[in-house]
Protein backbone atom coordinates (compact mmCIF):
# COMPACT_ATOMS: atom_id res chain seq x y z
CA UNK A 1 0.00 0.00 0.00
CA UNK A 2 1.29 3.46 -0.79
CA UNK A 3 1.24 6.06 2.01
CA UNK A 4 -0.69 9.10 0.94
CA UNK A 5 1.50 12.14 0.41
CA UNK A 6 0.33 15.68 0.02
CA UNK A 7 0.54 16.83 -3.59
CA UNK A 8 -0.71 20.27 -4.61
CA UNK A 9 -2.41 20.21 -7.99
CA UNK A 10 -2.58 23.12 -10.37
CA UNK A 11 -4.49 21.88 -13.42
CA UNK A 12 -4.15 23.42 -16.88
CA UNK A 13 -6.82 25.98 -17.75
CA UNK A 14 -7.25 24.35 -21.17
CA UNK A 15 -6.04 20.92 -22.23
CA UNK A 16 -3.85 20.67 -25.36
CA UNK A 17 -5.15 17.19 -26.15
CA UNK A 18 -7.33 18.26 -29.09
CA UNK A 19 -4.13 19.47 -30.86
CA UNK A 20 -2.55 16.02 -30.58
CA UNK A 21 -2.79 13.78 -33.63
CA UNK A 22 -2.73 10.34 -32.00
CA UNK A 23 -2.34 8.69 -35.42
CA UNK A 24 0.91 10.52 -36.25
CA UNK A 25 2.91 10.26 -33.03
CA UNK A 26 6.66 10.63 -33.42
CA UNK A 27 8.52 9.07 -30.46
CA UNK A 28 9.33 11.65 -27.79
CA UNK A 29 7.93 14.79 -29.40
CA UNK A 30 4.49 15.18 -27.84
CA UNK A 31 3.99 15.93 -24.16
CA UNK A 32 0.88 15.57 -22.03
CA UNK A 33 -0.75 18.42 -20.10
CA UNK A 34 0.88 18.05 -16.67
CA UNK A 35 4.07 17.15 -14.84
CA UNK A 36 4.89 16.12 -11.30
CA UNK A 37 7.64 18.11 -9.57
CA UNK A 38 9.40 17.62 -6.22
CA UNK A 39 12.37 19.49 -4.75
CA UNK A 40 15.14 18.33 -2.41
CA UNK A 41 16.75 20.92 -0.17
CA UNK A 42 19.61 18.97 1.39
CA UNK A 43 17.34 17.55 4.12
CA UNK A 44 14.28 16.08 2.48
CA UNK A 45 11.84 16.08 -0.42
CA UNK A 46 9.29 18.87 -0.32
CA UNK A 47 6.99 21.06 -2.39
CA UNK A 48 5.36 18.13 -4.20
CA UNK A 49 3.12 19.41 -6.94
CA UNK A 50 1.39 18.66 -10.20
CA UNK A 51 1.59 21.64 -12.54
CA UNK A 52 1.04 22.31 -16.24
CA UNK A 53 3.84 20.82 -18.38
CA UNK A 54 6.06 23.77 -19.30
CA UNK A 55 9.45 25.43 -19.24
CA UNK A 56 11.55 25.60 -16.08
CA UNK A 57 13.39 28.69 -14.98
CA UNK A 58 16.97 27.64 -14.15
CA UNK A 59 20.23 29.32 -13.18
CA UNK A 60 23.05 29.42 -15.77
CA UNK A 61 25.23 28.08 -12.93
CA UNK A 62 22.96 25.04 -12.46
CA UNK A 63 25.24 22.29 -11.18
CA UNK A 64 23.76 19.49 -13.36
CA UNK A 65 24.56 21.40 -16.56
CA UNK A 66 28.25 21.59 -15.66
CA UNK A 67 29.08 18.43 -13.74
CA UNK A 68 26.43 16.05 -14.98
CA UNK A 69 24.57 14.89 -11.87
CA UNK A 70 21.51 13.91 -13.90
CA UNK A 71 19.70 10.57 -13.97
CA UNK A 72 16.47 9.38 -15.50
CA UNK A 73 14.11 6.46 -16.01
CA UNK A 74 11.74 5.32 -18.73
CA UNK A 75 8.58 3.26 -18.34
CA UNK A 76 5.26 2.95 -20.07
CA UNK A 77 1.54 3.03 -19.32
CA UNK A 78 -1.08 1.31 -21.45
CA UNK A 79 -4.84 1.67 -21.53
CA UNK A 80 -6.84 -1.41 -20.57
CA UNK A 81 -10.06 -2.29 -22.36
CA UNK A 82 -11.99 -0.87 -19.41
CA UNK A 83 -10.04 2.43 -19.55
CA UNK A 84 -7.67 1.92 -16.59
CA UNK A 85 -4.05 3.05 -16.85
CA UNK A 86 -1.78 0.00 -16.60
CA UNK A 87 1.84 0.72 -15.70
CA UNK A 88 4.48 -1.94 -16.25
CA UNK A 89 6.68 -2.69 -13.19
CA UNK A 90 7.03 0.92 -11.91
CA UNK A 91 8.64 -0.04 -8.60
CA UNK A 92 11.51 -1.66 -10.51
CA UNK A 93 12.15 1.67 -12.20
CA UNK A 94 12.16 3.41 -8.83
CA UNK A 95 14.67 0.87 -7.47
CA UNK A 96 16.93 1.47 -10.46
CA UNK A 97 16.53 5.25 -10.13
CA UNK A 98 17.67 4.99 -6.54
CA UNK A 99 20.68 2.84 -7.50
CA UNK A 100 21.63 5.45 -10.09
CA UNK A 101 21.13 8.16 -7.45
CA UNK A 102 23.52 6.48 -5.03
CA UNK A 103 26.22 6.10 -7.69
CA UNK A 104 25.98 9.80 -8.55
CA UNK A 105 25.82 11.04 -4.91
CA UNK A 106 22.20 12.12 -5.35
CA UNK A 107 19.36 11.66 -2.83
CA UNK A 108 17.14 8.61 -3.17
CA UNK A 109 13.40 9.05 -3.61
CA UNK A 110 10.95 7.36 -1.22
CA UNK A 111 8.53 4.91 -2.83
CA UNK A 112 5.47 6.79 -1.56
CA UNK A 113 6.53 10.01 -3.29
CA UNK A 114 7.36 8.28 -6.58
CA UNK A 115 4.20 6.17 -6.64
CA UNK A 116 1.86 8.93 -5.44
CA UNK A 117 3.28 11.39 -7.96
CA UNK A 118 3.01 8.84 -10.75
CA UNK A 119 -0.51 7.78 -9.78
CA UNK A 120 -1.85 11.32 -9.55
CA UNK A 121 -0.15 12.37 -12.77
CA UNK A 122 -1.64 9.42 -14.65
CA UNK A 123 -5.05 10.08 -13.13
CA UNK A 124 -5.10 13.67 -14.33
CA UNK A 125 -3.62 12.88 -17.78
CA UNK A 126 -5.34 9.53 -18.33
CA UNK A 127 -6.86 10.66 -21.63
CA UNK A 128 -3.35 11.04 -23.07
CA UNK A 129 -2.77 7.27 -22.95
CA UNK A 130 -3.19 6.05 -26.53
CA UNK A 131 -5.42 3.01 -26.99
CA UNK A 132 -4.21 2.02 -30.46
CA UNK A 133 -2.28 -1.29 -30.58
CA UNK A 134 1.49 -0.71 -30.39
CA UNK A 135 1.03 2.73 -28.80
CA UNK A 136 1.52 3.73 -25.17
CA UNK A 137 2.22 6.60 -22.82
CA UNK A 138 5.96 6.86 -22.22
CA UNK A 139 6.73 8.05 -18.69
CA UNK A 140 9.95 9.94 -18.04
CA UNK A 141 10.97 10.39 -14.37
CA UNK A 142 14.28 12.24 -13.90
CA UNK A 143 16.36 14.01 -11.30
CA UNK A 144 19.07 16.63 -11.59
CA UNK A 145 21.35 18.68 -9.36
CA UNK A 146 20.03 22.20 -8.91
CA UNK A 147 22.64 24.04 -6.82
CA UNK A 148 23.59 27.40 -8.23
CA UNK A 149 27.27 26.75 -7.75
CA UNK A 150 30.43 26.31 -9.80
CA UNK A 151 32.72 23.66 -8.31
CA UNK A 152 33.02 19.88 -8.53
CA UNK A 153 31.13 18.52 -5.56
CA UNK A 154 27.75 16.86 -5.04
CA UNK A 155 24.93 19.39 -5.14
CA UNK A 156 22.79 19.96 -2.06
CA UNK A 157 19.60 20.70 -3.97
CA UNK A 158 17.86 18.52 -6.54
CA UNK A 159 14.72 18.57 -8.65
CA UNK A 160 12.73 15.45 -9.50
CA UNK A 161 10.18 15.55 -12.31
CA UNK A 162 7.88 13.10 -14.04
CA UNK A 163 6.33 14.01 -17.37
CA UNK A 164 4.68 11.81 -19.95
CA UNK A 165 4.59 11.51 -23.72
CA UNK A 166 2.17 9.52 -25.90
CA UNK A 167 4.27 7.42 -28.29
CA UNK A 168 4.13 4.98 -31.14
CA UNK A 169 6.82 2.47 -32.07
CA UNK A 170 10.48 3.35 -31.44
CA UNK A 171 11.64 1.21 -34.35
CA UNK A 172 9.12 0.37 -37.03
CA UNK A 173 11.21 -2.37 -38.62
CA UNK A 174 13.90 -4.88 -37.62
CA UNK A 175 17.19 -3.17 -36.80
CA UNK A 176 20.60 -3.18 -38.46
CA UNK A 177 23.37 -3.06 -35.86
CA UNK A 178 27.14 -2.75 -36.06
CA UNK A 179 29.61 -4.36 -33.66
CA UNK A 180 31.67 -1.54 -32.08
CA UNK A 181 35.35 -2.50 -32.06
CA UNK A 182 36.88 0.69 -30.66
CA UNK A 183 34.66 3.09 -28.71
CA UNK A 184 33.43 2.31 -25.19
CA UNK A 185 30.04 3.17 -23.70
CA UNK A 186 30.98 2.29 -20.14
CA UNK A 187 34.00 0.77 -18.41
CA UNK A 188 34.36 -1.51 -15.38
CA UNK A 189 34.19 0.59 -12.25
CA UNK A 190 32.35 3.32 -14.14
CA UNK A 191 28.63 4.07 -14.08
CA UNK A 192 27.29 2.07 -17.03
CA UNK A 193 24.78 0.30 -14.76
CA UNK A 194 23.27 3.66 -13.81
CA UNK A 195 20.75 5.42 -16.01
CA UNK A 196 22.89 8.52 -15.95
CA UNK A 197 22.62 11.21 -18.63
CA UNK A 198 26.40 11.13 -19.17
CA UNK A 199 26.32 7.51 -20.36
CA UNK A 200 24.06 8.56 -23.23
CA UNK A 201 26.24 11.56 -24.07
CA UNK A 202 29.25 9.21 -24.32
CA UNK A 203 27.38 6.92 -26.71
CA UNK A 204 26.26 9.54 -29.23
CA UNK A 205 29.43 10.09 -31.26
CA UNK A 206 30.10 6.40 -32.03
CA UNK A 207 26.37 5.81 -32.63
CA UNK A 208 26.31 8.73 -35.08
CA UNK A 209 29.20 7.20 -37.04
CA UNK A 210 27.23 3.95 -37.31
CA UNK A 211 24.10 5.85 -38.36
CA UNK A 212 26.02 7.58 -41.15
CA UNK A 213 27.02 4.15 -42.43
CA UNK A 214 23.38 3.05 -42.55
CA UNK A 215 23.06 1.19 -39.23
CA UNK A 216 20.31 1.87 -36.68
CA UNK A 217 22.41 1.14 -33.62
CA UNK A 218 25.68 -0.17 -32.25
CA UNK A 219 26.28 -3.46 -30.53
CA UNK A 220 28.55 -2.28 -27.73
CA UNK A 221 31.46 -4.45 -26.70
CA UNK A 222 33.31 -4.48 -23.37
CA UNK A 223 35.55 -1.52 -22.60
CA UNK A 224 38.65 -3.62 -21.86
CA UNK A 225 39.18 -5.94 -24.84
CA UNK A 226 36.17 -5.23 -27.11
CA UNK A 227 35.67 -9.00 -27.29
CA UNK A 228 32.39 -9.45 -25.42
CA UNK A 229 28.96 -8.03 -26.15
CA UNK A 230 27.43 -5.62 -23.66
CA UNK A 231 24.21 -4.05 -24.96
CA UNK A 232 22.79 -2.11 -27.89
CA UNK A 233 21.64 1.52 -27.79
CA UNK A 234 18.81 1.64 -25.28
CA UNK A 235 18.34 -2.13 -25.21
CA UNK A 236 19.87 -5.18 -23.63
CA UNK A 237 20.72 -7.85 -26.14
CA UNK A 238 19.90 -11.55 -26.48
CA UNK A 239 20.96 -14.28 -28.90
CA UNK A 240 19.45 -17.72 -29.43
CA UNK A 241 21.84 -20.51 -30.38
CA UNK A 242 20.96 -24.21 -30.02
CA UNK A 243 17.52 -23.27 -28.64
CA UNK A 244 19.24 -21.51 -25.73
CA UNK A 245 18.92 -17.81 -24.93
CA UNK A 246 22.36 -16.38 -24.32
CA UNK A 247 22.67 -12.92 -22.84
CA UNK A 248 25.46 -10.97 -21.12
CA UNK A 249 25.18 -10.78 -17.31
CA UNK A 250 24.43 -7.33 -15.95
CA UNK A 251 27.82 -6.16 -14.73
CA UNK A 252 28.60 -2.62 -13.57
CA UNK A 253 28.95 -1.50 -17.19
CA UNK A 254 25.54 -2.74 -18.38
CA UNK A 255 22.11 -1.32 -17.56
CA UNK A 256 19.99 -3.87 -15.71
CA UNK A 257 16.99 -3.77 -18.01
CA UNK A 258 13.50 -4.41 -16.68
CA UNK A 259 12.43 -5.77 -20.06
CA UNK A 260 15.48 -8.08 -19.95
CA UNK A 261 14.41 -9.37 -16.55
CA UNK A 262 10.80 -9.86 -17.73
CA UNK A 263 11.83 -11.69 -20.91
CA UNK A 264 14.17 -14.02 -18.98
CA UNK A 265 11.41 -14.70 -16.44
CA UNK A 266 8.94 -15.64 -19.20
CA UNK A 267 11.58 -17.81 -20.87
CA UNK A 268 12.09 -19.66 -17.60
CA UNK A 269 8.30 -19.99 -17.14
CA UNK A 270 8.11 -21.60 -20.58
CA UNK A 271 11.02 -23.97 -19.95
CA UNK A 272 13.33 -22.24 -22.44
CA UNK A 273 17.02 -22.62 -21.56
CA UNK A 274 18.71 -19.37 -20.52
CA UNK A 275 22.42 -18.70 -20.06
CA UNK A 276 23.45 -15.40 -18.47
CA UNK A 277 27.16 -15.33 -19.15
CA UNK A 278 29.78 -13.39 -21.10
CA UNK A 279 28.92 -13.66 -24.80
CA UNK A 280 31.92 -13.27 -27.07
CA UNK A 281 31.75 -11.57 -30.43
CA UNK A 282 33.66 -14.55 -31.87
CA UNK A 283 31.04 -17.02 -30.64
CA UNK A 284 28.15 -15.10 -32.17
CA UNK A 285 29.91 -14.38 -35.46
CA UNK A 286 30.82 -18.06 -35.78
CA UNK A 287 27.22 -19.07 -35.10
CA UNK A 288 25.98 -16.60 -37.73
CA UNK A 289 28.39 -18.00 -40.30
CA UNK A 290 27.60 -21.61 -39.39
CA UNK A 291 23.86 -20.88 -39.63
CA UNK A 292 23.28 -21.91 -36.00
CA UNK A 293 22.26 -18.47 -34.72
CA UNK A 294 18.47 -18.68 -34.63
CA UNK A 295 17.50 -15.26 -33.28
CA UNK A 296 19.07 -12.01 -32.12
CA UNK A 297 17.08 -9.18 -30.56
CA UNK A 298 17.27 -6.13 -28.36
CA UNK A 299 14.98 -5.75 -25.34
CA UNK A 300 14.02 -2.44 -23.75
CA UNK A 301 11.06 -0.32 -22.69
CA UNK A 302 11.13 2.07 -25.64
CA UNK A 303 11.86 -0.50 -28.36
CA UNK A 304 10.13 -3.47 -26.58
CA UNK A 305 11.52 -6.45 -28.55
CA UNK A 306 13.54 -5.29 -31.55
CA UNK A 307 14.50 -8.04 -33.98
CA UNK A 308 18.05 -7.66 -35.28
CA UNK A 309 18.07 -8.31 -39.02
CA UNK A 310 21.67 -7.44 -39.92
CA UNK A 311 24.94 -7.44 -37.96
CA UNK A 312 27.81 -5.38 -39.36
CA UNK A 313 31.23 -6.69 -38.34
CA UNK A 314 34.69 -5.75 -39.62
CA UNK A 315 33.29 -4.04 -42.69
CA UNK A 316 30.92 -6.83 -43.71
CA UNK A 317 27.16 -7.21 -43.21
CA UNK A 318 25.71 -10.52 -42.04
CA UNK A 319 22.00 -11.15 -42.58
CA UNK A 320 20.21 -13.07 -39.83
CA UNK A 321 17.32 -15.54 -40.23
CA UNK A 322 13.96 -14.11 -41.40
CA UNK A 323 11.87 -12.54 -38.64
CA UNK A 324 8.87 -14.76 -39.44
CA UNK A 325 10.92 -17.83 -38.43
CA UNK A 326 11.84 -16.47 -35.01
CA UNK A 327 9.65 -18.40 -32.59
CA UNK A 328 10.79 -17.11 -29.22
CA UNK A 329 11.13 -13.38 -29.88
CA UNK A 330 7.80 -13.23 -31.72
CA UNK A 331 6.06 -15.11 -28.92
CA UNK A 332 7.59 -13.05 -26.11
CA UNK A 333 6.77 -9.80 -27.92
CA UNK A 334 3.13 -10.87 -28.19
CA UNK A 335 2.77 -12.21 -24.65
CA UNK A 336 4.54 -9.26 -23.01
CA UNK A 337 2.28 -6.92 -24.93
CA UNK A 338 -0.81 -8.84 -23.80
CA UNK A 339 0.32 -8.75 -20.16
CA UNK A 340 1.09 -5.02 -20.34
CA UNK A 341 -2.30 -4.21 -21.85
CA UNK A 342 -4.24 -6.44 -19.47
CA UNK A 343 -5.28 -8.95 -22.14
CA UNK A 344 -3.36 -11.89 -20.64
CA UNK A 345 -3.02 -13.09 -17.05
CA UNK A 346 -0.24 -11.39 -15.08
CA UNK A 347 1.27 -14.26 -13.03
CA UNK A 348 4.16 -12.17 -11.66
CA UNK A 349 2.07 -9.11 -10.67
CA UNK A 350 3.95 -6.83 -13.03
CA UNK A 351 1.08 -4.51 -13.84
CA UNK A 352 0.18 -1.58 -11.56
CA UNK A 353 -3.35 -0.29 -12.12
CA UNK A 354 -4.33 3.36 -11.82
C1 LIG B 1 21.46 1.68 -22.05
C2 LIG B 1 20.18 0.92 -21.90
N1 LIG B 1 20.23 -0.42 -21.84
C3 LIG B 1 19.11 -1.16 -21.67
C4 LIG B 1 17.88 -0.57 -21.55
C5 LIG B 1 16.66 -1.42 -21.33
O1 LIG B 1 16.15 -1.24 -20.04
P1 LIG B 1 14.59 -1.36 -19.74
O2 LIG B 1 14.17 -2.69 -20.23
O3 LIG B 1 14.49 -1.24 -18.27
O4 LIG B 1 13.93 -0.27 -20.47
C6 LIG B 1 17.78 0.82 -21.63
C7 LIG B 1 16.47 1.49 -21.50
O5 LIG B 1 16.09 1.90 -20.46
C8 LIG B 1 18.96 1.59 -21.79
O6 LIG B 1 18.90 2.92 -21.86
Amino acid sequence: MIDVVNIQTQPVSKSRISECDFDQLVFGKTFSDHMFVASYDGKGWQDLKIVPYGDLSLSPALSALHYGQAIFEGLKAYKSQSGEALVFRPVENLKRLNKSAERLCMPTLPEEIFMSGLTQLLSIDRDWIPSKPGYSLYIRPYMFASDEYIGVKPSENYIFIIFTSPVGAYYNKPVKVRVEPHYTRAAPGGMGFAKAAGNYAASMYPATLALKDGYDQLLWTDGVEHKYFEESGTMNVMFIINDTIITPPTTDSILKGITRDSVLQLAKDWGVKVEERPVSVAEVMQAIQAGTLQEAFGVGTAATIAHISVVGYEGKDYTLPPVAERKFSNKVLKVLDEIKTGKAPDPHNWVYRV
Side-chain angles (χ1 to χ4, degrees):
M1 231 5 237
I2 309 158
D3 290 342
V4 176
V5 297
N6 187 17
I7 299 176
Q8 301 292 323
T9 300
Q10 182 200 329
V12 291
S13 47
K14 186 175 179 302
S15 172
R16 288 178 283 104
I17 200 161
S18 60
E19 296 159 26
C20 174
D21 183 351
F22 279 87
D23 290 321
Q24 307 286 336
L25 291 171
V26 179
F27 198 100
K29 293 225 168 178
T30 307
F31 304 103
S32 321
D33 282 330
H34 298 90
M35 59 186 184
F36 170 71
V37 184
S39 308
Y40 186 84
D41 64 353
K43 294 182 207 80
W45 289 100
Q46 52 175 359
D47 198 16
L48 315 182
K49 55 192 180 196
I50 286 182
V51 292
Y53 173 88
D55 294 349
L56 306 170
S57 168
L58 299 169
S59 159
L62 190 90
S63 174
L65 297 177
H66 300 265
Y67 308 112
Q69 275 184 297
I71 57 176
F72 65 99
E73 272 303 324
L75 61 163
K76 280 178 173 172
Y78 302 80
K79 197 174 271 174
S80 75
Q81 272 154 339
S82 59
E84 286 168 306
L86 308 179
V87 195
F88 191 67
R89 306 190 72 180
V91 176
E92 294 305 310
N93 289 90
L94 172 65
K95 286 186 193 155
R96 190 169 64 189
L97 181 86
N98 283 340
K99 283 210 177 92
S100 302
E102 276 171 23
R103 179 63 178 81
L104 276 85
C105 293
M106 300 167 80
T108 56
L109 195 77
E111 184 170 331
E112 59 273 18
I113 294 184
F114 181 82
M115 289 307 290
S116 305
L118 180 66
T119 305
Q120 294 198 32
L121 183 64
L122 290 177
S123 305
I124 196 166
D125 280 341
R126 185 186 304 272
D127 291 346
W128 286 86
I129 307 174
S131 34
K132 215 169 135 173
Y135 287 63
S136 57
L137 188 73
Y138 186 80
I139 303 167
R140 169 51 56 88
Y142 66 111
M143 191 198 296
F144 59 91
S146 58
D147 273 10
E148 187 176 19
Y149 174 75
I150 295 297
V152 182
K153 76 167 185 59
S155 179
E156 279 178 22
N157 296 280
Y158 294 85
I159 297 175
F160 173 75
I161 297 180
I162 309 178
F163 64 76
T164 66
S165 169
V167 296
Y170 195 71
Y171 294 119
N172 49 19
K173 58 178 177 34
V175 291
K176 259 183 97 171
V177 295
R178 178 160 82 187
V179 179
E180 177 53 59
H182 171 70
Y183 292 104
T184 298
R185 188 194 84 95
M191 58 175 192
F193 70 90
K195 213 162 159 63
N199 288 334
Y200 297 82
S203 74
M204 284 180 197
Y205 179 71
T208 303
L209 296 181
L211 228 65
K212 274 194 194 140
D213 289 341
Y215 297 93
D216 300 299
Q217 259 310 335
L218 286 173
L219 262 178
W220 292 105
T221 51
D222 69 279
V224 179
E225 298 178 286
H226 296 291
K227 282 190 178 160
Y228 295 91
F229 285 119
E230 297 237 302
E231 50 185 318
S232 181
T234 57
M235 306 181 292
N236 294 108
V237 67
M238 300 189 179
F239 304 93
I240 304 188
I241 302 173
N242 293 332
D243 294 324
T244 304
I245 299 175
I246 303 165
T247 191
T250 48
T251 57
D252 61 357
S253 58
I254 297 181
L255 195 85
K256 203 165 186 224
I258 295 158
T259 317
R260 174 187 182 280
D261 182 75
S262 312
V263 167
L264 295 184
Q265 182 61 57
L266 290 176
K268 288 170 193 165
D269 292 354
W270 300 337
V272 178
K273 271 187 275 167
V274 172
E275 290 179 10
E276 290 180 70
R277 59 161 173 84
V279 184
S280 74
V281 176
E283 174 184 6
V284 170
M285 296 318 298
Q286 272 161 21
I288 293 177
Q289 287 169 62
T292 54
L293 183 125
Q294 295 157 298
E295 306 186 26
F297 51 100
V299 299
T301 297
T304 63
I305 310 291
H307 300 291
I308 296 175
S309 57
V310 172
V311 176
Y313 179 59
E314 293 183 336
K316 209 176 150 205
D317 279 352
Y318 297 83
T319 301
L320 306 194
V323 166
E325 286 173 15
R326 303 187 187 190
K327 286 204 189 98
F328 178 81
S329 43
N330 283 318
K331 177 175 171 187
V332 86
L333 172 62
K334 182 168 175 285
V335 173
L336 255 186
D337 189 64
E338 287 171 354
I339 295 174
K340 289 172 176 178
T341 51
K343 291 184 197 122
D346 175 21
H348 300 287
N349 285 322
W350 285 338
V351 172
Y352 171 74
R353 288 167 189 269
V354 176

